[in-house]
């Protein structure tokens, strides 16, 4: 005779699955991905058999945790997009991702990852996250709130770096200040990455430096002091000179 599964049984199963996912997420954040499934079961308050019933392998549990966490970020971004102006929605979403990744560093691995996570559910969730990020970025750029020379992959790399920066600072306020300074570079206030203007390369070099690229120059005992490291930099500097 077939066993009839009632609504109460299904509710219990859903609750147990949610408990396992929550416990696993906390355990992974605290101890990394090598936490034994038995420890996760004890943290969730369920038996090991319950964990294996929902997640037959450790890999499937890890992927389910990641998919849930990324899905929560997608939902947060969609809410921001519907309630806020484009630029505010974009920066708010990026800060959400950074703040979430700060204590869940493995999210960063998934966001920038690839073939190591081939399961359809997780792949689909990562694709939704990237799609949402692209939509938010495009809208913010059209609104004039984000410089036009950055793309979604740049933003992903930036969030990974900012999350690491937040993790490195024990003072959350200090870490957040550095993150905001970094994100300010995305605003269209003019380029800050041109080598000639980004830093005083001549002042920081241990000896004479190329006026174009900042490379340290070889000092010769005779002849006129060199201004450039080679023909390429000399020609580039000459092209930049205003016409007489």
């Amino acid at each position: 005779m077939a066993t009839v599964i009632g609504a109460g049984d299904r509710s219990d199963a859903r609750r147990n699955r949610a408990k396992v996912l929550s416990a696993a997420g906390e355990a992974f954040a605290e101890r990394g991905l090598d936490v034994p499934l038995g420890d996760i079961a004890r943290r969730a308050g369920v038996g090991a058999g319950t964990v294996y019933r929902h997640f037959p392998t450790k890999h499937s549990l890890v992927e389910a945790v990641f998919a849930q966490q990324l899905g929560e970020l997608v939902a947060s971004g969609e809410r921001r997009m519907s309630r806020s102006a484009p630029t505010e929605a974009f920066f708010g979403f990026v800060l959400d991702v950074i703040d979430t990744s700060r204590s869940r560093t493995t999210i960063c691995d998934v966001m920038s990852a690839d073939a190591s996570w081939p399961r359809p559910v997780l792949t689909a969730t990562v694709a939704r996250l990237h799609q949402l990020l692209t939509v938010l970025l495009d809208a913010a750029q059209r609104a004039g709130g984000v410089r036009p020379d950055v793309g979604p992959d740049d933003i992903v790399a930036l969030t990974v770096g900012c999350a690491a920066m937040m993790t490195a600072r024990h003072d959350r306020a200090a870490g957040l200040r550095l993150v905001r300074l970094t994100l300010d570079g995305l605003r269209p206030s003019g380029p800050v990455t041109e080598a000639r203007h980004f830093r005083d390369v001549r002042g920081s070099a241990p000896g004479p430096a190329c006026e174009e690229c900042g490379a340290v120059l070889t000092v010769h005992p005779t002849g006129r002091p060199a201004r450039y490291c080679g023909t390429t930099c000399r020609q580039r500097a000459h092209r930049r000179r205003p016409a007489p």
Side-chain angles (χ1 to χ4, degrees):
M1 179 183 295
T3 302
V4 178
I5 300 176
D9 294 329
R10 287 193 294 270
S11 297
D12 288 343
R14 285 195 295 269
R15 279 195 295 270
N16 286 337
R17 188 178 190 277
K19 287 180 183 178
V20 172
L21 285 175
S22 177
E26 293 171 359
F28 294 154
E30 293 173 8
R31 298 169 54 187
L33 300 183
D34 294 330
V35 183
L37 288 180
D39 290 358
I40 292 173
R42 282 190 291 275
R43 183 186 287 252
V46 300
T50 299
V51 176
Y52 283 106
R53 190 156 49 248
H54 290 285
F55 307 102
T57 66
K58 176 74 166 292
H59 201 74
S60 64
L61 175 58
V62 171
E63 288 175 335
V65 169
F66 286 159
Q68 181 185 63
Q69 292 175 351
L70 293 179
E72 290 169 356
L73 285 174
V74 170
S76 169
E78 290 173 342
R79 286 193 298 271
R80 287 187 177 279
M81 188 166 55
S82 66
R83 298 172 183 174
S84 305
T87 301
E88 181 184 345
F90 168 75
F91 280 108
F93 176 66
V94 171
L95 284 170
D96 283 345
V97 175
I98 292 169
D99 196 43
T100 300
S101 303
R102 175 178 59 90
S103 59
R104 300 171 176 175
T105 52
T106 43
I107 278 189
C108 297
D109 299 332
V110 178
M111 283 180 57
S112 53
D114 31 48
S116 58
W117 301 101
R119 295 298 180 98
V121 172
L122 184 58
T123 301
T125 307
V126 172
R128 285 175 58 209
L129 185 71
H130 277 273
Q131 182 181 23
L132 175 63
L133 177 61
T134 300
V135 171
L136 288 167
L137 175 60
D138 287 346
Q141 287 173 325
R142 287 196 304 271
V146 175
R147 53 193 294 176
D149 59 340
V150 295
D153 289 342
D154 299 320
I155 304 303
V156 169
L158 195 65
T159 57
V160 171
C162 285
M165 192 160 54
M166 286 282 287
T167 302
R169 298 301 298 262
H170 298 297
D171 183 345
R172 185 177 183 279
L176 189 58
R177 175 179 173 274
L178 291 177
V179 168
R180 291 186 181 279
L181 287 173
T182 302
L183 295 184
D184 278 346
L186 295 174
R187 298 184 184 277
S189 56
V192 296
T193 51
E194 278 291 329
R196 286 172 60 84
H197 307 294
F198 187 52
R199 62 179 181 177
D200 181 3
V201 289
R202 286 174 292 180
S204 62
C210 172
E211 294 182 9
E212 184 63 23
C213 71
V216 177
L217 299 175
T218 302
V219 178
H220 298 284
T222 60
R224 296 175 58 185
R227 297 174 59 191
Y228 307 102
C229 63
T231 304
T232 300
C233 280
R234 183 183 301 109
Q235 291 175 346
R236 188 182 297 142
H238 288 179
R239 285 196 298 269
R240 234 196 294 272
R241 290 178 180 173

